[in-house]
Amino acid sequence: MAAAAIAGCSSGATGPPVLNVYGPADGAEQYSAAAKDCTAASGGRYSVVYQTLPKSADDQRLQLARRLVAGDSEVDIVGIDVTWTAEFAAAGWIEKLPEDVAAQVRQGTLDGPLQTATYQGALWAAPLNTNTQILWYRKDLSPTPPATWDEMISASERLHQQGLPSYIEVQGAQYEGLVVWFNTLLNSAGGQIVDEDGNVLLGRGDAAQKALSVMQRVAASPASDPSLSVNKENDGRLAMEAGTAAFQINYPFVYASIHTPPPDGGGGGTFIDPQGKPTSADTGRRVVDEFAWAPYPSVVPGQPAKPTIGGINLAVSTTGQHKDLAFAAIQCLRNRDNQLRNAVEGGVPPTLSDLYTDPSFQAKYPAWEAIKNSLDNASVRPLTPGYTSISIVLSDLLNPPAAIDPATAVPMLADEVQGAANSEGLVP
């Protein structure tokens, strides 16, 4: 148990009740600042302490599950990945939002993030932030951004033939990022993995085969990154900053990184010559000078892609001692000022719709329009308690993506997903 939680002792015997918020390490600086602000705003009713979970999402989930199963009363609020809402609700680990709180949370919150906090028609959490991928590309290598995956693969191969940077960076390692890639392509082609009741829909129609075909072509292309099958989000960022990638599918954090001096960021990336080739000579131009963004490429021409959204939802645990205060605190933690700070300083998109119409926010968040459009067309990962098991199965079967056989893989995927879809509140 974290030292601060022990010292705080939620009983509040020597002061106002302490509400411990357990959430991810990424963004902890902003979340801790929000906790401090909400403590002050409570007028002495409670104090909020932000406790960081492990870096890995899997380790975060495991620690929370163990503590909640054990009935840990020091866990008042949990910052959970959007994929865990259904699992935590079905397992009895989090409280359903009271109707008055739910109504306030729904007011002004984007539809996609609200879906990730909903299970069986009820709202179980309050969306703190969201996340979505868009296309980031080099203007000097592709003056017109590709609108479809077919266009992007063809452009990549042309660049390769010319001896120019050609990589399409996407998450191909055996983890959740690979499943996100598949889910986005599948939904963009008109398909779905499972429904909320766990019915497997992956094998219906030809959407899965279209999705798998794109993945295999990207990974097996002579223009592809040789390390794609082990690449995660940060690897794509580094490849773009190093000047070897022409395109990357990634989250908004890459914009902040390329504009941040080392060692925390890429500092603008490597120097490039007028032809776009990396060079050691200081020409005064860096990758950042050619760095641009565009909508996520479509699978079906003329139809917008449906990028899978991520993010963090705040939920009140069933084991805490101050639930009414915790419901009040989560509304403060996700208020406009705190979401604005999370976006500008932490790079994570807000869930409140009015921020996207605020000129001051738009000025500080240049890619806001592409991000908002991506969120408006978003797909969510399956809202089922068995999602973690489904993800583990899919990430295993889809890696390495270059070895996928789109003509034969769909029935096998459907069978394996069916076997994983029935787990509820389990910790693999």
Side-chain angles (χ1 to χ4, degrees):
M1 185 180 300
I6 297 173
C9 186
S10 281
S11 64
T14 59
V18 174
L19 302 178
N20 291 298
V21 183
Y22 284 83
D26 289 339
E29 182 177 350
Q30 292 80 44
Y31 302 149
S32 294
K36 182 178 179 180
D37 289 349
C38 290
T39 296
S42 77
R45 288 194 300 152
Y46 56 78
S47 62
V48 183
V49 179
Y50 189 77
Q51 312 283 2
T52 55
L53 292 168
K55 191 78 171 177
S56 160
D58 289 341
D59 290 339
Q60 293 170 28
R61 173 178 167 271
L62 186 59
Q63 183 180 128
L64 286 177
R66 285 174 170 168
R67 297 185 71 152
L68 293 170
V69 166
D72 191 339
S73 63
E74 300 295 337
V75 181
D76 299 290
I77 298 171
V78 289
I80 57 176
D81 189 280
V82 294
T83 63
W84 306 338
T85 304
E87 178 185 15
F88 279 42
W93 297 338
I94 56 177
E95 297 280 354
K96 186 186 303 183
L97 267 58
E99 281 305 314
D100 60 331
V101 176
Q104 293 175 46
V105 170
R106 291 190 179 99
Q107 186 68 36
T109 300
L110 297 172
D111 289 341
L114 278 176
Q115 288 184 50
T116 70
T118 303
Y119 176 61
Q120 297 293 347
L123 199 60
W124 292 85
L128 173 62
N129 58 55
T130 186
N131 222 340
T132 186
Q133 294 184 320
I134 58 177
L135 171 64
W136 305 87
Y137 70 102
R138 287 262 301 268
K139 291 183 294 184
D140 57 329
L141 301 175
S142 181
T144 300
T148 67
W149 280 91
D150 285 342
E151 290 180 13
M152 185 160 62
I153 294 168
S154 296
S156 171
E157 291 176 346
R158 285 195 300 271
L159 291 168
H160 174 69
Q161 291 169 2
Q162 297 169 37
L164 296 172
S166 63
Y167 294 168
I168 297 172
E169 294 298 336
V170 71
Q171 295 75 53
Q174 186 178 328
Y175 80 120
E176 176 65 14
L178 179 60
V179 182
V180 167
W181 185 20
F182 173 65
N183 187 68
T184 295
L185 297 176
L186 177 66
N187 279 266
S188 299
Q192 190 177 347
I193 297 176
V194 301
D195 63 19
E196 191 177 71
D197 297 320
N199 299 310
V200 178
L201 309 178
L202 187 152
R204 298 184 183 180
D206 63 354
Q209 187 167 341
K210 289 180 179 179
L212 295 174
S213 177
V214 169
M215 297 175 74
Q216 193 276 336
R217 288 174 58 207
V218 170
S221 168
S224 72
D225 185 338
S227 61
L228 186 142
S229 64
V230 295
N231 278 3
K232 298 184 178 182
E233 290 88 353
N234 205 45
D235 300 299
R237 171 187 72 83
L238 293 172
M240 180 66 80
E241 292 173 357
T244 59
F247 311 98
Q248 68 167 316
I249 300 296
N250 221 327
Y251 295 97
F253 82 98
V254 301
Y255 180 87
S257 173
I258 203 169
H259 286 85
T260 302
D264 297 324
T270 189
F271 289 107
I272 56 176
D273 71 8
Q275 286 73 46
K277 298 179 181 179
T279 176
S280 59
D282 185 349
T283 62
R285 294 173 62 251
R286 294 177 180 266
V287 173
V288 68
D289 298 315
E290 304 296 341
F291 194 58
W293 55 87
Y296 194 108
S298 299
V299 174
V300 180
Q303 296 184 14
K306 296 183 177 180
T308 304
I309 56 174
I312 299 296
N313 295 332
L314 293 175
V316 174
S317 80
T318 54
T319 63
Q321 299 178 0
H322 307 286
K323 295 183 178 60
D324 288 344
L325 295 177
F327 283 122
I330 64 172
Q331 294 181 76
C332 176
L333 291 167
R334 68 178 298 272
N335 68 21
R336 192 180 191 282
D337 289 343
N338 288 326
Q339 290 208 30
L340 178 60
R341 174 167 46 206
N342 295 342
V344 174
E345 297 181 13
V348 287
T351 64
L352 299 176
S353 59
D354 76 323
L355 273 172
Y356 292 91
T357 64
D358 184 338
S360 64
F361 170 73
Q362 294 174 359
K364 296 176 181 177
Y365 212 69
W368 70 270
E369 188 170 14
I371 292 167
K372 177 62 163 55
N373 289 338
S374 184
L375 292 170
D376 288 342
N377 292 307
S379 62
V380 300
R381 280 164 278 192
L383 301 172
T384 171
Y387 177 74
T388 296
S389 296
I390 292 171
S391 176
I392 291 171
V393 166
L394 285 174
S395 64
D396 176 61
L397 295 174
L398 295 174
N399 183 269
I404 295 172
D405 181 356
T408 62
V410 176
M412 178 180 63
L413 288 176
D415 287 344
E416 293 293 330
V417 168
Q418 183 66 69
N422 297 325
S423 62
E424 296 183 6
L426 300 179
V427 182

